[in-house]
């Protein structure tokens, strides 16, 4: 579609992509493995995109792959507002909540979200995976007993969290 728009003599083309394909493949896990997120970035540009608008990139470094602007929009501020309304309607305080990161890689995102929720406590799952999408050992760091848990993640893959 980008190619068709470009060939129809559009002055500028902004690709709006809510889910950036292959965003998880943003670094080399082993020798000769592809960085497919970089390939997608190049393909979008070659196909005719002058700018890309996306939501919640898996890794901000993807923006650095491009020689054109990639605008990353964040949904967490909107979600935080909705949860604040939920808290006020039900008389829930920040002490009744705990924000949970399903993996260590998302801890920074979850900590920022917990801060937006009046400094709610944070818990983090630490997982050891044998292979992608296959669970191994899981440890929980933090206190969740008797709390309402809000799990914050960027991509719902298997939805087994």
């Amino acid at each position: 579609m980008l190619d068709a728009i470009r060939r129809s003599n559009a002055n500028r083309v902004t690709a709006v992509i809510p889910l950036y394909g292959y965003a998880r493949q943003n670094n080399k896990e082993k020798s000769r493995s592809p960085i497919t997120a970089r390939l997608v970035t190049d393909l979008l540009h070659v196909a005719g995109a002058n700018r890309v608008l996306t939501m919640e990139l898996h890794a901000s470094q993807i923006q650095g792959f491009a020689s054109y602007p990639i605008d990353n929009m964040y949904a967490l501020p909107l979600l935080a507002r909705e949860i604040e309304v939920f808290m006020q309607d039900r008389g829930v305080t920040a002490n009744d909540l705990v924000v949970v990161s399903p993996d260590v890689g998302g801890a920074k995102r979850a900590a920022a979200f917990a801060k937006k929720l009046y400094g709610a406590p944070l818990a983090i799952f630490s997982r050891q995976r044998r292979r992608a999408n296959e669970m191994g050992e899981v440890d929980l760091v933090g206190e969740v007993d008797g709390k309402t848990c809000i799990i914050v993640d960027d991509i719902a893959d298997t939805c087994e969290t």
Side-chain angles (χ1 to χ4, degrees), residues 63-156:
Q63 293 171 292
F65 293 158
S67 59
Y68 58 93
I70 296 180
D71 298 319
N72 186 22
M73 306 289 290
Y74 297 95
L76 287 182
L78 297 172
L79 184 59
R81 272 191 260 151
E82 289 301 314
I83 290 175
E84 286 171 2
V85 169
F86 168 85
M87 290 168 61
Q88 290 170 356
D89 289 349
R90 289 169 179 77
V92 175
T93 67
N95 294 331
D96 300 322
L97 299 176
V98 63
V99 176
V100 180
S101 175
D103 52 36
V104 175
K108 186 175 176 182
R109 176 185 298 105
F113 189 65
K115 189 174 179 180
K116 287 185 185 305
L117 294 176
Y118 309 110
L122 178 66
I124 302 168
F125 280 105
S126 175
R127 314 170 187 236
Q128 304 299 320
R129 295 184 190 269
R130 292 183 203 105
R131 279 176 259 156
N133 299 333
E134 186 177 311
M135 287 299 301
E137 293 181 30
V138 179
D139 296 316
L140 177 63
V141 179
E143 191 62 43
V144 297
D145 191 33
K147 306 266 186 173
T148 300
C149 296
I150 300 171
I151 301 173
V152 178
D153 206 355
D154 62 339
I155 298 174

Side-chain angles (χ1 to χ4, degrees), residues 19-37:
L19 178 64
Y20 197 92
Y22 297 97
R24 284 186 177 178
Q25 296 178 350
N26 59 343
N27 58 17
K28 288 177 124 5
E29 294 294 324
K30 55 187 174 191
S31 179
R32 298 187 186 265
S33 65
I35 302 175
T36 312

